[in-house]
Amino acid sequence: MNVYVAATLRGFFERNEVINIEGNTIGRVLDRLRDEYPDAGKVLFDDNGNLRRFIKIYVNDDNFTDQKHWDREFGETDEIYLIPAIAGGAAKRDSIISDERRKETAFDDKEIEKWGNHLLLREIGVKGQKRIKASRVVIFGAGALGSPVIQYLAAAGAGTIKIVDPKEVKPADLQNQVLHTERDIGRPRVASAKDKIRNINRKLEVITENTDPDAGNIEDLIDGFDVVVDCTDNYRTRYLIGDACAITGIPLVFGALYQYEGMVTIFNYEDGPCYRCQFPEPPAPGLVPTCAEGGTISPLPGIIGSIMANEVLKLITGIGAILSGRMLVIDSLYLHSRIVRVERDDECPVCGKDPTIYEVEDFDYEDFCGLKESDDEVPVEGIAAEELAKRIDNGDPITIIDVREPHERAINRFPDAKVIPIGQLARRQKELDPDIDTIFICKEGKRSILAINTLREAGYKGPMYNLKGGIEAAKDIVLSHEGAWL
Ligand SMILES: [Zn+2]
């Protein structure tokens, strides 16, 4: 079985993180470990041979510290984790804000009153609060994750905050973007965000950029900042930000959401991994619904964004243990969380041994994220919603395939549509008639393209069309149409 050793214990295991030990029970594995690493034996066990109480033993996700489990048999793929129960008293870590910059910072009486809650914390104190005031943070995305990150960093007393976001506030944003209100609908998100945090801290310098980051502007956007926070929602921007931060050596606090689950980690901190070390490639377009397509439970961005802001403050003040080289994954539906290791990859094209990406300008992010149509790929033919309505009215022989998830169909459905999930299309292609047109529908017209390409790959030869813009684009027609569309 593989035994994973927590970083704090590795010194007793010849600095090994993972050790393969023969044995199918915890008891046998521990005996062998003691034989091979006598120093570790002394740390793990007391003089009476009992496991010391600050050590916890997990197999996969479950706690098997209690000796009564130690005879239970496990398989070769099960993994043992040895972790100390208390992670406190972390090694001294330097702040990312220099002593010179801290010393140049001063407080007036009002500020001392305002930041009193931090000044009382031994680890932060006056020195830490000065570092927070001296800090310059850039946040990409003023939406769901950006809202708590921006608010908490402003409330914590950050000196300079730059907010980069190209979008305007939409009604659907208010479900989880707590920075914005109904009065902000139609305004740039950055303007709305700036108004809110100016009311929290008048001394805060807020810089707003109502722009979409690209290879041409990303380096200017992050230049001179101490830490970058990625609160965006698409792969193209995430790779762009990740690469630019890795190349320029700026720590990146990363957070992501999907439905009920969120993750947080820190990239590019000292010798830690970068975004590409962890995620070398994005999923194919349409394969994984985006946060916008997949939905998110309202408080989740608050949970994840607050943890991100907390990590930013720990980087700035140099306290505690940070999520560099580790990724926190939280499932808010079942309240399950775990921290997984994230390792630097020697083969990484940005920070590995033989890097191939030195400048973001030389890399094609659109192509990498599959946003371009490749030359040898036959383009998917689209059909406009009006045209589809006409063909239904005329009683044309067509097949409509809805590839959306059941809960999406519950919001608005096409009664004439046959439902086939993308994963079953290849297997169920016999249900389609290759002599008549088949029209594929989804929410935004992206997954339907994936559906058509999937069937092509599976050898289906009949004519296929994609409903352009999906159900979203067809809404007005669908709603105003007299037929039983809804
Ligand atoms: Zn890397």
Side-chain angles (χ1 to χ4, degrees), residues 353-395:
K353 278 182 189 148
D354 289 307
T356 52
I357 302 167
Y358 295 97
E359 302 229 11
V360 289
E361 290 198 333
D362 298 337
F363 191 80
D364 191 335
Y365 290 89
E366 302 274 328
D367 193 33
F368 181 61
C369 296
L371 302 173
K372 268 185 186 169
E373 278 180 22
S374 87
D375 296 339
D376 49 314
E377 206 169 272
V378 187
V380 169
E381 259 188 275
I383 176 169
E386 294 85 354
E387 173 69 15
L388 176 60
K390 225 181 273 172
R391 294 188 66 174
I392 293 173
D393 277 351
N394 292 345

Side-chain angles (χ1 to χ4, degrees), residues 246 268 272-278 343-345 347-352:
N268 318 319
C274 80
Y275 181 49
R276 272 190 208 251
C277 290
Q278 174 71 345
E343 285 175 326
R344 197 160 165 176
D345 178 8
E347 307 294 312
C348 174
V350 179
C351 74

Side-chain angles (χ1 to χ4, degrees), residues 61 145 254-265 296-297 299-308 310-311 323 326-340:
D61 272 354
L145 285 172
F254 170 94
L257 308 169
Y258 180 66
Q259 296 192 340
Y260 302 94
E261 190 176 77
M263 49 176 72
V264 186
T265 187
T296 308
I297 193 164
L300 181 66
I303 298 169
I304 299 298
S306 301
I307 293 170
M308 292 167 77
N310 203 48
E311 291 302 296
L323 285 170
R326 305 183 302 154
M327 179 180 278
L328 171 68
V329 184
I330 297 179
D331 178 339
S332 72
L333 193 58
Y334 295 99
L335 287 175
H336 178 89
S337 72
R338 77 183 276 179
I339 292 179
V340 295

Side-chain angles (χ1 to χ4, degrees), residues 150-167:
I150 292 166
Q151 278 171 312
Y152 274 117
L153 292 180
T160 305
I161 288 179
K162 182 191 270 186
I163 308 167
V164 186
D165 191 303
K167 294 184 190 155

Side-chain angles (χ1 to χ4, degrees), residues 175 230 361:
Q175 181 258 11
D230 183 353
E361 290 198 333

